[in-house]
Every structure is written in structure tokens, then in C-alpha cells.
Amino acid sequence: MLSAAPRQSESGARTLLKAEALEKRFGGITALADYSVNMGRGELLGLIGPNGAGKTTVFNLLSGVFKPSAGRILLGDRDITAARPDRRAALGIARTFQNIRLFAEMSVIDNIRVAFHMHRGRGLWPTLVHTPAFRRAEREMAERAAEFLELLGLQDVRRERAGNLPYGLQRRTEIARALAADPQLILLDEPAAGMNPNETDELIAVIERIHHRYGLAVFLVEHDMKVVMASCDRIQVLDRGRVLCEGRPADIRKDPRVIEAYLGTPRKGSRAGS
Amino acid sequence: MGGGYIAQQIVNGLILGSMYALVAIGFSMIYGIIRLINFAHGDVVMIGAFVTLALMQVAGLPFVLVAAGALAAGAVVGVLIERGAFRPMRGAPQVTGFIASLAVSIMLQNLGILLLTAQPRNFTFPAALQKVINAGPVSFRVIDLVIMLSALGLMVLVMLLVKRTRLGMAMRATAENLDVARLMGININRTILAAFAMGSALAGIAGLMWGGKFGQIDPLLGYVPGLKSFVAAVIGGVGSIPGAILGGYILGLAEVLFVGLLPPIYSAYRDAFVFGTLIVILLIMPNGLLGSDKGERA
């Protein structure tokens, strides 16, 4: 059966991300209340829930787009509750967006290079003079970029303007860009949205690969149950701004509360709005 | 009206265009990155001109140091304006920033009048720079050549910086989407500050050039180059640096050729012609020559 915190084996040193009693209010509306999460290094965690449950709010709080109304966020031992988004990115939290937000005017490769440069780029002088250190860094970046392009099947479109790509490829470019930021934790916000079953299968494979190859912790918000069930070690269910339950995929699938949250009780109008 | 005369007019147009282009780059950079039309930008030209005057005629520094001083003064003023006037307005509607820039412009002009009086001052470069060079039918002063070449050099430098460096990449990313750039680890405050510093440094050095070209400066001199460079930036496509450069040269050439080639009674319509050009180009190409229709940032 389900317990409130199923994998307590992730003790102190192995904990990567910890959020405690996060709350977010917008005016009089509480979008998220008493939200806590404990993520281990290299863990694959899923977050599901009906529309409007507060899933994207969780990501916005973790990546620093919003400041929480209450609660705190720890990355490793560091309190990042007040840290700006760029600082959090530098500390190793990368994300993608539900509605894709690429640098549409830039090429695929440049989108990836933006993320690289922020972490390992060089200053003006080495760039203009092409010092050996600069050339070495450029070569390393090119190799890593090639690796991510290959991993996500983007080699053939690397020079395309990102805004011109079909939807599925834009999603993958976003994931590649997030990887290039050299994260410890990657937040994927509905990566399967708008994908056909084939693309979804490929996506599941990609998530598995980045998880295994780079040992990354992946936090996945997803509507598509197939993706969550196939990918995640552990799932949190959010409903109307609160954590409903948390557990292994097999248990979540059977949990009556989850079924109720998704399908609604026979009483009308009990579903959370979108 | 022979070929020599026209060649001379073209050279004059290129000199004027170089200055417009330098100032227009700043307009475009700043607009590109925070969608702000900075009407105080022209007044940075004025400050650059007075700093040049002080360093050259009062302190008597060598020309290279004077030029470095004008660049630095522009950068410092740009940074102060951003920190003082625009950063507190970040996130406010676009029109707020626009009004704020008008306020900064009026304050700088009046501060100039208070501190320096409205009396125009003569601006004389060392004799070596005033020497006239005759190249066939065309003649110009050494300072004119310095203006054209150094403007060109600075433009190449800025383009390289934006295209090749980490800062440039951060600027392009921030220009496209500020919120996402920030989530990619870009420190947008620093990036915006850098755009102001670079753009304003170019305006500062344009002040030196303006003084050198026209020989007289006063605290209100920024108005005309500010407005015309804005027009140049719009013609080229606001937000695009190559567009700003192209727009600057087109405007400089068009203005000089208009005055030079039409009968003298029309020369009073010089500015009407400049703005007429703007209207025609915007009617045909609403985004300017090299602009994209990225639209306003929400």
C-alpha cells in the first residue's frame, strides 16, 4: 500500500532537491498549498494531476519564475528560496516549458550553445584572439553539442531556425538546450504534449537515456499516463493545489483517490477547472 | 554639377551617415533587448561632445586618450541611466519606459544648460586633424577620415562582439526572450547593463565626431542626432544592428544628396525630407529594411 513518503532511503547526503511546505497564492487564489517534495540524486520523479492542479506552479517555484508565498527550497544543502532564476540555472536546475519557448530566431545549434556558453563560455579577449584555452573550450562544446544533437535525433536540423521546426523537434530541441546547461536536475513540463504515439515512445526512450547516461535527476510533469508510468520511479499526484498522494507507479494506478481526482465523483462539477 | 561634385557629396554623406549609424546602433541595441525607445540616447551624444571638449581643450590630453574618454563617458552615462531610470521601471508597460526616457532627456538637457549655459562653444581639433586632404576631385579633413574609419572599426567590433562572444550570445538570447534567457542561466540585469554601456559608448564617441564635424557644441545638440538616428534605426529595422548601420548610411547620404543636388531654396526642407523618407519606407516595409516582425514583448 501507499505510504506518505515511500522512499525514505534517500537520506540527507543523497537528497538533491527538497521543497518544504511551499505555498503560492495569486491574490485570493491559492494555487498551491503545503507542497513538499524530496528528490534523490538521479531519481526519476513524476508529477501528475488534473488540469489546474498546480503542476506548472510547482515548476515555476522550483525554477525561480515565481517566489513562493511561504515555504523553502533546498538544492543540496543550499537554500535557494530567494535565488534568481539565472542563479538556479547556474546551480544546476534546467527546465523545459509546456508551451515551447525556444529562441525561435536562432538556429537549433545556437539554442544549445546559449546554454553552454552561460556555463563554460569565455570572455571577449580569448574569443577575439582565439587563445588555446578558448579553442579547447570551443572544441569541447562542439563535441558535447554533437552528442546532445545525436541523442535527440537533431543532427539533420542543427542549422535550421528553431522556430521553423515541426513541433516534436522543437520539444526535443528544448530538451537538448536544457541538457546543455549541465544540470543536476531537469524539469520537463509536459514533454509529450501534442506528440503522436510514435513520438511519445521515442520520448520515453530519450528520457531513459538522459537519465541513465548522465545520471540526471528528472522531474516530469505529464498528462500522458503512459509516459509517467513507463519512466518514473515514483509519482506524486496533485489535485487542487495539494498533494493527494505519492508512491510507485503501480500503486498510484490503483489508488481510488487518484481515480476520483481524474474522473470525478458521480457528483457533478467536482473536477478542478483548467 | 559634375561627377566630382557628386563624389564630394557622397563623401559628406558617408561622414554624416557614420555618425548616425553609430548612434542608431545604440538605439537598436537597447530597443532590441528591452523594447525601450530611449529618447535620452541623443543626449549621451551631447555629453560625449562636452567630455571631449573638456579632455581636449581644458585638460589637453592626446587625441587617443580623448577618444577613449568619450567612449568611457558614454558607457558610464548609459549605465547610470539604466540603473537610475530604467531598471526601477522594469516590468512596467512599454509606454512608461518611453515617458521615463523623455524625462531623462529633458533632465540631461537642462542640467547641461544649468552647468554649462546654453552658449554654444567652439570645438577645435588640433591642427594635424584639421588638415585638408585632396584626393582627386574630393577633399576632406583628416578628422573626417578618422570619423569614417573609426566608426567602421567600431561597427565591426560591435558586430563581432554580438556574434561571437558569450556576452553577445546572452544579448541575443535576452533580446529574443528575456524570461527564458534568465532560466538558461543568463544574468539579464548584467546583460541589459552591458547593452546600455556599449550602445551609449558609441553615442559618446559620436559626440566627439559631431563636435569635430560641425565645430560647435551646446547642451541641446543631442536632439537632432538623437532624432535622426532614431529614424535611421527605424528605417533599418529597430532591433537589428546591421539594419541600424544601413539605416544610418542611407539617411546620411539621402540628407546630404538632397541638399546638395536640389536647388538651394529647398535646403531648408532638409529635415522634412529626412522624416518623409521614414514615412515612405515604413509604408512600404513596416518592419524596416532588415527588421523582423518580432512584435512587442508582452
Side-chain angles (χ1 to χ4, degrees), chain B:
Chain B
M1 216 181 282
Y5 178 76
I6 292 176
Q8 179 69 56
Q9 294 305 316
I10 288 176
V11 170
N12 291 346
L14 287 175
I15 298 165
L16 193 62
S18 307
M19 296 189 286
Y20 287 160
L22 282 181
V23 184
I25 290 173
F27 260 118
S28 246
M29 270 181 137
I30 292 168
Y31 179 84
I33 211 156
I34 51 170
R35 304 293 185 270
L36 170 81
I37 296 164
N38 178 15
F39 273 102
H41 195 60
D43 301 299
V44 181
V45 176
M46 177 270 289
I47 291 172
F50 275 99
V51 167
T52 304
L53 187 75
L55 294 180
M56 194 170 55
Q57 268 153 254
V58 182
L61 295 180
F63 185 71
V64 178
L65 288 183
V66 173
L71 276 169
V76 168
V77 172
V79 164
L80 290 177
I81 293 176
E82 199 277 328
R83 290 302 304 252
F86 298 132
R87 188 172 301 180
M89 314 262 173
R90 190 92 43 81
Q94 204 170 16
V95 73
T96 311
F98 171 75
I99 303 282
S101 81
L102 283 175
V104 172
S105 170
I106 292 168
M107 284 197 287
L108 289 178
Q109 289 174 5
N110 286 286
L111 199 67
I113 292 173
L114 274 176
L115 295 177
L116 305 161
T117 75
Q119 188 67 40
R121 281 154 209 262
N122 286 328
F123 200 96
T124 32
F125 274 155
L129 290 170
Q130 299 280 13
K131 227 178 86 193
V132 176
I133 304 172
N134 289 303
V138 182
S139 65
F140 45 81
R141 294 170 303 162
V142 176
I143 183 66
D144 296 330
L145 192 68
V146 171
I147 289 174
M148 282 191 285
L149 294 181
S150 54
L152 221 52
L154 286 166
M155 289 172 207
V156 170
L157 192 68
V158 167
M159 302 251 269
L160 274 179
L161 213 138
V162 170
K163 262 205 143 53
R164 296 281 174 78
T165 65
R166 175 160 70 147
L167 174 65
M169 196 156 233
M171 284 169 62
R172 283 186 289 146
T174 307
E176 246 210 58
N177 192 328
L178 193 137
D179 294 321
V180 177
R182 166 183 256 171
L183 286 162
M184 292 301 121
I186 294 170
N187 182 333
I188 57 155
N189 281 338
R190 214 162 54 194
T191 308
I192 292 170
L193 212 55
F196 267 89
M198 274 164 66
S200 304
L202 296 182
I205 195 85
L208 178 154
M209 297 173 177
W210 198 265
K213 169 104 176 99
F214 296 107
Q216 246 189 9
I217 61 173
D218 67 80
L220 301 181
L221 83 85
Y223 183 72
V224 171
L227 211 52
K228 288 190 182 163
S229 302
F230 172 62
V231 171
V234 174
I235 287 176
V238 192
S240 156
I241 292 176
I245 295 172
L246 183 66
Y249 281 116
I250 288 177
L251 199 67
L253 282 169
E255 190 181 325
V256 170
L257 290 178
F258 172 78
V259 176
L261 297 183
L262 287 180
I265 49 161
Y266 292 113
S267 64
Y269 294 102
R270 180 182 188 128
D271 292 345
F273 179 73
V274 166
F275 295 106
T277 310
L278 172 71
I279 291 171
V280 170
I281 288 186
L282 288 185
L283 279 176
I284 302 166
M285 305 182 75
N287 294 314
L289 297 172
L290 301 181
S292 60
D293 54 352
K294 265 181 287 193
E296 296 175 357
R297 178 147 47 218

Side-chain angles (χ1 to χ4, degrees), chain A residues 230-252:
Chain A
S231 307
C232 297
D233 307 324
R234 191 160 63 100
I235 294 172
Q236 272 189 328
V237 185
L238 210 57
D239 185 30
R240 293 176 230 182
R242 287 175 185 280
V243 178
L244 195 65
C245 58
E246 187 171 336
R248 284 180 298 133
D251 300 326
I252 292 292

Side-chain angles (χ1 to χ4, degrees), chain A residues 50-70:
Chain A
N51 281 331
K55 305 185 293 289
T56 297
T57 303
V58 169
F59 273 20
N60 282 336
L61 291 175
L62 295 180
S63 59
V65 175
F66 297 152
K67 296 266 174 289
S69 311

Side-chain angles (χ1 to χ4, degrees), chain A residues 174-188:
Chain A
E174 256 202 332
I175 296 177
R177 183 177 67 176
L179 285 176
D182 205 8
Q184 307 180 61
L185 166 65
I186 183 164
L187 309 172
L188 300 177

